[in-house]
Amino acid sequence: MTLNGWLQILVFIGIVVAVAKPVGIFMTHIFNGERTFMHFVLRPVERLIYRLTGVDEKREMRWTEYAAAMLLFSVVSLLLLYILQRVQGHLPLNPQHLPGVDSAGSATSGFVGSAFNTAASFTTNTNWQSYVPETTMSYLTQMAGLAYHNFASAATGIVLAIAFIRGIARRETDTIGNFWVDFVRCNLYVLLPICVLGALLLVSQGVIQNFRPYDTAKLLEPQTIQVDKKDANGNVLTNPDGTNQQEAQTVTDQTIAQGPVASQEFIKELGTNGGGFFNANSAHPFENPTPFTNLIEMLLIFTIGAGLTYTLGRMTGSQKHGWAVLAAMVVVFFAGVVTLYWYEGHGNPMLSKLGADQSVTALQPGGNMEGKEVRFGIANSSLFATVTTDASCGAVSSMHDSFTPLGGLVPLANIALGEIIFGGAGSGLYGILIFCVLSVFIAGLMVGRTPEYLGKKIESYDVKMAMLYVLIFPLVILVFAAISVMAPSFGTSQLNNAGPHGLSEILYAFVSGAGNNGSAFAGISANTYWFNTTIGITMLMGRFLMIVPMLAVAGNLARKKMVPPSLGTFPVTTPLFTVLLVSVILIVGALTFFPALSLGPIVEHLLMYAGKTF
Amino acid sequence: MIKKTKNMAVWNWMIVKRAIGDSFIKLNPRAMMKNPVMFVVEVGSVLTTLQMIYGIVRPVPGVTNLKFELQITLWLWFTVLFANFAEAMAEGRGKAQADNLRKTRTETTANKLLSDGKIQVITAPQLRKEDVVVVSAGEFIPGDGDVIKGVASVDESAITGESAPVIREAGGDRSAVTGGTRVLSDQIQVRISSNPGETFLDRMIALVEGASRQKTPNEIALNILLAGLTIIFLLAVVTLQPFAIYSGAPQTIFVLVSLLVCLIPTTIGGLLSAIGIAGMDRLIQHNVLAMSGRAVEAAGDVNTLLLDKTGTITLGNRQATAFFPLPGVAESELAEAAQLSSLADETPEGRSIVVLAKEKYGLRGRELASHEATFVPFTAQTRMSGVDLDGREIRKGAADAIEKYLAQFSARTPPDLTAIVERISREGGTPLVVAEDRVALGVIQLKDIVKGGMVERFNQLRQMGIKTIMITGDNPLTAATIAREAGVDDFLAQATPEEKMRLIKGEQAGGKLVAMTGDGTNDAPALAQADVGVAMNTGTQAAKEAGNMVDLDSNPTKLIEIVEIGKQLLMTRGALTTFSIANDVAKYFAIIPAMFAMLYAVNGGANGPLSALNIMGLRTPQSAILSAVIFNALIIITLIPLALKGVKYRPMSAASLLRRNLFIYGFGGLVAPFIGIKIIDVIIHAIGLA
């Protein structure tokens, strides 16, 4: 750990807090339908879209209608992406002539449910990638399929958060906005303009944007590797003992993947999607070339989550509450990054025992550098990992699997808390607001009134829906993970590591899916029929089964009367509320996952200090 | 009856005895299912019991540990029983009171008045609504109803516990009589207003007994939260077994059930219904009958209190507060004349003049018998009273009456007098002019006196965010003065029932909850509209039907206490919920390291790495699990008095209340089990249980 590292982390937090207000104000204007400086250009476009699609701009929707529109849109989008993947081999913009996903000639040599997994993954803003993009997806699929979803799923999340805020802010009404109008405005005024400018900025830093076939370069230093020996028909030859025969092969060429990266990169972070254009994601120099782009990318991940807290305060007329929620996010985020940086900075004690020098010097970063991009080092890798898992982004700049046990616990725990610390674009805000509702309900009685949140009484229907929201998350994770660890044939056999580390890998996969994060702990071969299907289902449940009860709460809150605030009102604007909210988030998360985590990263950490690794 | 039981201790032996029996009756699964948290514990207890029996029949060497298993099973059953006991204890007090009330419900006969004017003697249960009965002195009133003819003094002690008789008369707001009360004098005709089985006494018995108790909205919501948490923990524990098997450390059913029971919120789950019953009970201790638990909850939520001025805020009668002499007249001279004129005046106003003169000038009420004194009583015509004494002619009365009186003798009203009178009126007082020998001396100021302590109370209410509105028939000027003196937030002057109704609806439209008291028939619509409507027991039947609470003491000030009881009920619920959830952290630190104590132990070492989480230093895995289960059971018993008495309540702002309670029950709930479990571990180790 270095002072420089700590300062970078603090500067990062400072910028995040500073952007919250302008972003929040901007989004408030857009979703309230107020004029902004962009309206003279974009308003006619917006009108045209409504005329072409037959959307009545003035018409408001009940929560059920809002949910139905959102689900309909998502299902259609999901099907389109599925079909696009399967037929990409027959479509243009495919210079590498990549076959359809799940087809016999594809990277998976057959059907393993990969196209379904990917369609579910990008529709749910998860961007879990069980495939290797460079060898699987054509440029057309990347742009029209994946990048499209990066915008669509992010906008869906954002407008849902706005609908929830409206539920709190409005009173005695049945409606919470119009999904189509919100969706169009979100893309047209918020996401697209920022991303167009942002992509240009990234290109200026060296991010590529082209449709060229992959380049081939001669290696300066040819390498010899061992590969399976094959006969003339391409069948692998085996030894008498059943193992594959090996032969030496000399590699002289390197394939350098190309593509329209910049246009996808910016929305990947801003929309907390996280699906990399390349397998190496944000560790790849074409995605994340400089320290400056690294900072930008990390900031983008938090931008909308932070901004929405300000929008919350603005729209509900309680700005201090917005700040209290942001403060809770900052507190948990800071605790995470400190822990992660601390343990990564200290490295593996077993190496020290063997005489390895893990201290920081002018010549070495010290600590645990395994799985980290040397351009970013420990501080920025720790920061990136915390940011990408606090928000449900899932873009990665280092291998989380290679972190120290407690270092790896941080990303896992961050996602397990429900992706509400900044969280996914929009989904983070409505997630933490559900926790606000629960905090108010649990502790609100202690002020001697039935619980009320920003003037809205929290009653049994709200609690029922909020609990449903909270319940679905551990349900899908724990059930699928439990089945996977009990199944040697399709579950544990896919693990690279045994013992607690293997458990962490399986847990991480399902936690990441349900949390719609999409980052991988890796160390698990997830491109199998079982994992593609179950993680696909996990992602869909973790997104849509949670959205429906959330919208039900929003619709129900909108219907209620507003109790005017008084001295007797439960305070949701104070530091004490921030403490309460953080406690409820941590306790609910910890109580749910502590037993499983204690058998994963925690015991692994203790074992590492006892001299045993996995 | 009720007053006698008022100071019943929490641990009354009779109640405890009955409650112990009830705890076992309540084990019936059909009853338990209403409480999902405790139902899960019961199912867990059955599971461990069956497993234990199986272990006795077919012990597995090295696995079966009967001593441990028996203890776990017993303590799990205790957990269920303790929760049942808490509920039975809360019900016990009400049941004892109901028994007492039943004894007073004697079989009475009724003298039914037939349409031809004849009397038919029937038994009380034969009476129906709209029947008219005649009740004479010494007889019990056979049913609830309204006096339609006559006046009588009635002994209502059976209902209110108040032994002083009350007057009941036809017409007006004192016409309601209750079945089971006794007429002491005179004869009245009563129109019966309820059928047998629906009488006030019947309802009262049902209420105190808790027979008609339904879960209140907030209780239902809280139950959903607790059920949700229970399902989450069920998931966490059920899926822990596969993870444990994967890790090579499968767990026994005893350990898994123990972990589950410790994690689910049994403390609040076990005490929740007891808290609700105790809240109703506390109201009954204050002689208030809440017709539904919903009303008690609403009382805690009240934003606006409508308080009648007379009798609630002020003492109810105007009292002399100052003498204002005219120029050239000594104040003591005015006081003396005023006192003399009032010596025979038995009205509260008159007496207050005598008292004020005595207090201010040491003028003692003189023995008038020795003098030649003729009293002039107040009449509606003259609107004056006074005395003719030793040739002095002293009169006092309203300003215009005295003016008229002086004008008879062509004495002009001095302009100074008019000025004083106007000023007193403007300030909300009532001026009484005193004249001696046809010359005005000055003015006595009569004022409504605000009850002692009201200013402080309204201040407290304001700190709790509750707005008080004074309702009065006075003119706005007078009302404003009293309102200022009493420190209420607002007032409604020249209030009519319609105005009152409009005020309530206006407040409610703004999302506020309104509480009010009332007794008259014309209060009924407003009482029904208000979220908390407290009818006075002395009031009409219509008022009692309309409100959702009845104050047997007929004391309107009690509205404030009712609000406090409602708040206390909600606070107790919140405090124990927070405490219960915070407890879980420590239980994890007891059980998880115990479950996996041997996991990944290096080369036969005694302890695996997860023992590092055993931060309490519990002796053995068995004693750790047992201690957590025992703590979990005992905490329910320990908290029964708190659940029944309610958490300490102090009027303060929500922010300070939250800070205080979050520290005590949140932080306290985090720390307490660490200490408790450690102590239990030391004890059970010392006596060799584990």
Side-chain angles (χ1 to χ4, degrees), chain A residues 26 38 42 151 186-198:
Chain A
F26 179 67
M38 293 193 295
L42 294 176
F151 281 94
C186 186
N187 277 306
L188 197 58
Y189 295 100
V190 183
L191 298 180
L192 278 168
I194 300 179
C195 287
V196 168
L197 294 177

Side-chain angles (χ1 to χ4, degrees), chain A residues 359-398:
Chain A
S359 59
V360 184
T361 67
L363 295 174
Q364 66 174 30
N368 175 28
M369 272 301 287
E370 182 193 317
K372 293 186 183 64
E373 168 69 36
V374 285
R375 290 179 297 139
F376 303 132
I378 294 176
N380 271 302
S381 297
S382 301
L383 184 58
F384 201 111
T386 313
V387 168
T388 198
T389 50
D390 266 333
S392 79
C393 182
V396 287
S397 69
S398 55

Side-chain angles (χ1 to χ4, degrees), chain A residues 440-511:
Chain A
V440 163
F441 186 80
I442 292 170
L445 284 168
M446 283 197 293
V447 306
R449 294 170 65 89
T450 56
E452 60 199 31
Y453 174 51
L454 289 172
K456 296 296 179 69
K457 287 264 176 236
I458 305 301
E459 291 157 308
S460 49
Y461 183 81
D462 313 294
V463 176
K464 198 188 296 172
M465 291 302 146
M467 282 315 284
L468 211 52
Y469 179 96
V470 174
L471 189 61
I472 287 164
F473 188 66
L475 177 79
V476 282
I477 295 169
L478 292 174
V479 169
F480 280 133
I483 296 172
S484 298
V485 299
M486 292 305 289
S489 58
F490 53 80
T492 48
S493 59
Q494 306 301 318
L495 294 173
N496 293 356
N497 303 76
H501 200 77
L503 182 62
S504 298
E505 288 168 353
I506 284 189
L507 270 178
Y508 197 104
F510 288 102
V511 167

Side-chain angles (χ1 to χ4, degrees), chain A residues 441 445-451 457 460 467 471 499-500 503 561-562 564 566-570 591 595 599 606-607, chain B residues 218 222 229 232-233 246 300-301 303 463-465 508 510 512 567 570-571 574-575 578 588 599-600 609 654 661-662:
Chain A
F441 186 80
L445 284 168
M446 283 197 293
V447 306
R449 294 170 65 89
T450 56
K457 287 264 176 236
S460 49
M467 282 315 284
L471 189 61
L503 182 62
K561 282 182 182 171
M562 184 89 73
S566 72
L567 272 176
T569 310
F570 184 87
L591 291 183
L599 292 177
L606 295 166
L607 282 167
Chain B
N218 176 260
L222 191 51
L229 287 175
I232 291 179
F233 290 129
Y246 166 88
D301 273 352
N303 305 84
Q463 277 168 23
M464 301 189 298
Q508 286 174 336
K512 293 180 176 173
K567 286 197 176 294
L570 295 172
M571 277 167 54
T578 309
Y588 264 136
L599 180 63
Y600 301 120
N661 286 333
L662 207 53

Side-chain angles (χ1 to χ4, degrees), chain A residues 192-204 262-263 266 296 300:
Chain A
L192 278 168
I194 300 179
C195 287
V196 168
L197 294 177
L200 293 174
L201 178 73
L202 289 182
V203 168
S204 79
S263 59
F266 209 79
I296 294 286
L300 286 175

Side-chain angles (χ1 to χ4, degrees), chain B residues 443-523:
Chain B
V443 190
I444 310 168
Q445 176 182 262
L446 296 179
K447 266 178 107 169
D448 258 351
I449 302 293
V450 174
K451 279 185 184 173
M454 291 315 278
V455 179
E456 291 75 38
R457 282 208 116 151
F458 293 142
N459 249 328
Q460 291 175 353
L461 288 172
R462 199 166 304 117
Q463 277 168 23
M464 301 189 298
I466 295 174
K467 184 172 141 190
T468 45
I469 302 181
M470 182 182 83
I471 308 289
T472 171
D474 292 345
N475 65 55
L477 216 60
T478 311
T481 311
I482 301 279
R484 198 169 50 240
E485 260 176 52
V488 293
D489 298 300
D490 205 348
F491 63 88
L492 179 67
Q494 287 164 343
T496 59
E498 296 76 39
E499 285 285 331
K500 235 175 173 175
M501 193 72 174
R502 198 169 311 139
L503 178 68
I504 294 174
K505 284 186 173 163
E507 292 283 313
Q508 286 174 336
K512 293 180 176 173
L513 267 66
V514 182
M516 67 169 288
T517 61
D519 53 5
T521 300
N522 58 11
D523 282 333

